[in-house]
Amino acid sequence: MLTKKTLLPVLLFSCLSASSQISFGDSKKINDNWKFNLQETPEAKNTAFDDSKWQKINVPHDWSVKGQLSPTLASCTGYLPGGIAWYRKSINIPQSKSGEKVYLYFEGVYNRSEVFINGHSLGKRPNGYISFAYDATEFVKFGGENTISVRVDHSQSADSRWYTGSGIYRNVWLVYANPVHIAQWGVYAYPEVNKGNGTLNVEVDVENASKGKASLTVVNELFSKDGKSVAKSSSKVDVAANQKGKIIAKINVKNPKLWDLENPNLYELKTTVLQDGKEIDKTVTQTGFRSFTFDPNNGFALNGKWMKMKGVCLHHDAGVLGSAVPREVWKTRLKTLKEIGVNAIRTSHNPQAPDFYELCDELGLLVLNEAYDEWEFPKRKWLEGWNYGTPGFEGSFDIFADWAEKDLEDFVRRDRNHLSVFGWSIGNEVDYPNDPYSHPVLDKGKDGFGQAAYGGYKKDAPDAMRLGAIAKRLVAAVKKYDKSRPTTAGLAGVAMSNETEYPGALDITGYNYTESKYKSDHEKYPKRVIYGSENVHDMEPWLAVKNNKFIFGQFLWTGIDYLGESGRWPSRGFYSGLVDFAGVIKPRGYFRQSLWSDKPMAYLGTYPLTNEKDVSKDAWAIWNYEAGQKIRVVCYTNAAKARLELNGKAVGETKLYDEKTGIIYWDIPFASGKLEVIGLDKNDKEVSRYASNSTQQPVELTIAEKDITISKDKGVAKIMVQVKDQNGLPVMLSDNEVTCTITGAGTLLGLEAGNNSDMTDYTDNVQRVFHGHIAAYIQANGDSTAPIKVKFTSQWLKPVEVTINVK
């Protein structure tokens, strides 16, 4: 039962994520105790329907990732199923005050959802990435049980080029509100900084659903992170019955602490609505002060300091967890990327969960917020393997005409208060040559096309000249609710789009894989701000950024391995990440760290020498080979030079850092022992060190985490299990099968080893390690603070146990 008493104190700093998202009323998560059935069941919308045999689940919930991997399914979504499913929840809604309203707020449902309460449809939302709310007041049975039913139609399971997930995969909220309240996402706070002083521009939209005029006072008060009030404003507004009103205020702060990447200083804006001197609504918005500058000749400046964006593209899944990713997991992943040297994220190619943006605000990461991968026509969706076989053409194009502006406006209104967000992307590769648009310029050669063009000009294909008009519409939708940030898009066919009005409609222009056009387009379009919106991991694309001050950054494809866009079976997903599915840094992650991190670092990896010209950025730290076998040892470091040692003795000569490749290497015969690289400064002083050891047979399982504490309220712990030998060294070559057993009020969400080609079930409690490790995700059930005991066992290996404290 949900009581009003539990709802009243939700806002005001105790639950920032709830208040900052819906922006009005008293909010309460209603994630627990849902019923689920993966079958079309139209009668399930009715209150009297018997769901006693349905599966009991909690949301967020992604049914696809729990399905059976099969080569008969589409490779584009990771060989996992879609379908049609229903969710139901029974909830007691207490008797309300006179005129009080009740809303249901969904952070995301993939996709084509329809929500019912007590058999009455509240509405449909086809876009699976957009948050939405419904006013349920008219159909609520106050003081009694109410049935919420949600139909989710992902029967077009191959509707995306990557894994989407299926279901209510983000949080759900019940919201109580006075008939006169702040509008949904109705607080807009954007900062300006001038000569060290800050101005917070605040707009507050208020809705009056009562029968009479409302004379209101809106108070905005800004608090520093330590809870001290630093500024305050008060405004009056009269709002007619069933109308909306707006107040505009400016809050001035002398010498505010600025938000930046090293010190992401945040403030909290408390907005209170008073009527006849009584508080009727309030919300808290996380905000602060920072400035963005974009210049066609100098690139990008944060708070007046010119810098390069060292970015990655990120999809929204997390391996075994699918698209229902807990906040704690996102925090760990983002911190790992920041450790590598990443300072910017591109949300490829859709809005992410609210938790994601809050974490980027808190950790100090810039965000390029992207809305669409498809506009009015479908793209190719590979079914038998990436770029293989005959593609399919399911997608979201059919809803574009009716929903494009509405979805984009809601996207902007929801996320516009996040300091981390520096720009709005209206599309990714919608100009992909002949997929679907075409133009006569395609007959003039491949210059300016970084990817396949699927042939020359096709006169029967959609005309690329349409792109400009659509872009202008979408940019206008963005500017309607946020003029403080630039609009952009990731262009796949720059040479083709340059023939249209598309680039000219944007404030800054992203080039996907077309570094060859940077200089020529900079000269041809001197007012255009250019950056790499999607790039491969090679050295040359980074040097094109580093050595040209007018290019402000790049976004690698990709930051973390993701499900879908898979190769031919067996392949779970796309494997180009700096970090694997399990959140472990890959060799290419260390290579990127050597280019991007300011902290001294060194890494070494090895592989058998078969090609003298092969200098790999994907060499694993393994030192187990045949005696005398010729091995290439590569070092990734940001030191001026490096020395290689085997068993404490120098091997070969000390070598200088290679500015062209970013890699130092030696070719040596294998001999067992300890292989170590030492990074040196220009004066031969040691600044970094990394070792790889020859290992024996695996003998035990170990856990690095000793003191683990999670929240009783569905907190999640990530436990990394490592296979080691008798000397306590990690055995990288091991692939032992591990079983996880839990005692206490905890649930195993899944085991993730990071192996792209292992197509077994990741959601059960048995899985093979990969590169000697495996991650377990354990969630508190929410009904006990008793410790959770977790045991890992493997045949022939010494087991290991760990206790998770719950508070």
Side-chain angles (χ1 to χ4, degrees), residues 403-452:
W403 287 95
E405 282 94 341
K406 170 63 175 172
D407 286 341
L408 195 55
E409 290 170 4
D410 285 356
F411 162 63
V412 171
R413 290 171 64 219
R414 190 196 72 168
D415 295 340
R416 61 187 173 175
N417 290 320
H418 291 289
L419 291 181
S420 56
V421 174
F422 73 84
W424 307 105
S425 174
I426 61 171
N428 170 66
E429 297 184 346
V430 294
D431 63 335
Y432 208 115
N434 290 322
D435 191 17
Y437 296 95
S438 198
H439 188 278
V441 74
L442 296 178
D443 282 336
K444 295 183 179 180
K446 295 183 178 180
D447 181 42
F449 301 104
Q451 302 179 77

Side-chain angles (χ1 to χ4, degrees), residues 187-437:
V187 176
Y188 175 33
Y190 61 97
E192 293 178 319
V193 180
N194 184 27
K195 297 181 179 179
N197 293 319
T199 298
L200 190 66
N201 300 281
V202 182
E203 298 178 13
V204 181
D205 293 320
V206 181
E207 294 182 355
N208 179 9
S210 70
K211 296 181 180 179
K213 184 181 78 171
S215 296
L216 308 173
T217 299
V218 180
V219 179
N220 286 291
E221 188 169 10
L222 191 65
F223 293 84
S224 61
K225 198 169 186 179
D226 57 6
K228 294 181 180 179
S229 176
V230 297
K232 188 176 182 179
S233 77
S234 179
S235 306
K236 294 185 181 297
V237 63
D238 291 334
V239 186
N242 298 310
Q243 297 296 317
K244 295 181 179 180
K246 178 191 289 286
I247 70 99
I248 298 175
K250 289 182 179 293
I251 299 177
N252 296 313
V253 179
K254 290 185 177 180
N255 300 314
K257 292 184 177 180
L258 300 184
W259 182 95
D260 61 31
L261 304 182
E262 291 74 34
N263 299 289
N265 296 296
L266 296 170
Y267 290 74
E268 289 182 341
L269 177 69
K270 175 186 173 184
T271 302
T272 306
V273 180
L274 304 172
Q275 186 175 29
D276 298 327
K278 296 181 179 179
E279 179 183 295
I280 60 171
D281 199 9
K282 60 191 173 186
T283 190
V284 176
T285 304
Q286 187 168 268
T287 185
F289 297 90
R290 52 94 181 102
S291 67
F292 298 146
T293 304
F294 294 89
D295 184 88
N297 296 313
N298 297 299
F300 169 75
L302 174 61
N303 301 327
K305 182 180 178 181
W306 299 103
M307 57 172 285
K308 298 293 187 182
M309 285 196 198
K310 303 168 183 177
V312 294
C313 302
L314 282 187
H315 280 309
H316 68 294
D317 73 276
V320 65
L321 299 173
S323 57
V325 185
R327 184 186 182 97
E328 299 93 328
V329 175
W330 264 125
K331 185 172 185 178
T332 299
R333 293 178 139 217
L334 292 173
K335 288 176 72 174
T336 299
L337 289 172
K338 192 158 187 181
E339 175 189 342
I340 289 171
V342 172
N343 63 21
I345 308 292
R346 177 185 179 217
T347 64
S348 51
H349 303 289
N350 51 263
Q352 300 270 13
D355 282 340
F356 175 88
Y357 302 96
E358 290 172 13
L359 289 167
C360 289
D361 289 343
E362 294 167 13
L363 296 174
L365 286 163
L366 294 162
V367 176
L368 175 55
N369 212 7
E370 192 157 76
Y372 299 125
D373 186 58
E374 194 166 76
W375 286 356
E376 57 177 347
F377 296 106
K379 290 181 179 178
R380 289 170 171 83
K381 314 297 189 310
W382 298 105
L383 308 179
E384 304 165 65
W386 183 56
N387 286 339
Y388 175 81
T390 303
F393 290 93
E394 294 178 340
S396 58
F397 61 94
D398 60 314
I399 65 173
F400 187 78
D402 294 332
W403 287 95
E405 282 94 341
K406 170 63 175 172
D407 286 341
L408 195 55
E409 290 170 4
D410 285 356
F411 162 63
V412 171
R413 290 171 64 219
R414 190 196 72 168
D415 295 340
R416 61 187 173 175
N417 290 320
H418 291 289
L419 291 181
S420 56
V421 174
F422 73 84
W424 307 105
S425 174
I426 61 171
N428 170 66
E429 297 184 346
V430 294
D431 63 335
Y432 208 115
N434 290 322
D435 191 17
Y437 296 95

Side-chain angles (χ1 to χ4, degrees), residues 726-742:
Q726 62 188 16
N727 299 313
L729 298 172
V731 184
M732 288 283 292
L733 296 175
S734 62
D735 65 347
N736 301 73
E737 187 176 82
V738 172
T739 299
C740 176
T741 306
I742 297 175

